[in-house]
């Protein structure tokens, strides 16, 4: 899967688990919004739209696009 496909599938309502530097993260969705959550401590960032999650959501201070090549899905 490439980055554009991930963005599209999250926009359709799919949820994903991924790993970055051996840390688990989740992209999840419910009727209130979209969430980016770090597994080890449940730190969660919330967003109104999938587009906002990918524009503003951060993993270790970087947006997902910046670390895409280092993510394992």
């Amino acid at each position: 899967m490439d980055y554009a496909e991930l963005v599209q599938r999250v926009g359709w309502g799919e949820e994903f688990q991924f790993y970055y530097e051996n840390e688990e993260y989740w992209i999840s969705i419910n009727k209130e919004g979209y969430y980016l959550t770090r597994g080890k401590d449940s730190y969660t960032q919330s967003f109104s739209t999938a587009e906002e999650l990918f524009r503003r959501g951060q993993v270790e201070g970087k947006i997902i696009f910046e670390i895409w090549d280092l993510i394992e899905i």
Side-chain angles (χ1 to χ4, degrees), residues 3-62:
Y3 178 78
E5 182 181 352
L6 174 68
V7 172
Q8 182 178 46
R9 290 173 66 176
V10 169
W12 291 339
E14 289 188 52
E15 299 182 328
F16 289 91
Q17 174 187 31
F18 66 91
Y19 292 87
Y20 173 69
E21 294 187 349
N22 296 317
E23 293 288 339
E24 175 188 39
Y25 293 85
W26 284 92
I27 295 173
S28 58
I29 302 147
N30 67 27
K31 62 184 177 180
E32 282 85 36
Y34 294 77
Y35 304 91
L36 177 57
T37 303
R38 184 172 49 215
K40 72 178 177 182
D41 58 3
S42 298
Y43 172 71
T44 300
Q45 301 165 63
S46 59
F47 306 95
S48 298
T49 65
E51 293 79 17
E52 183 184 13
L53 183 150
F54 287 103
R55 225 181 26 253
R56 297 184 52 229
Q58 294 195 2
V59 173
E60 300 297 324
K62 298 176 181 163

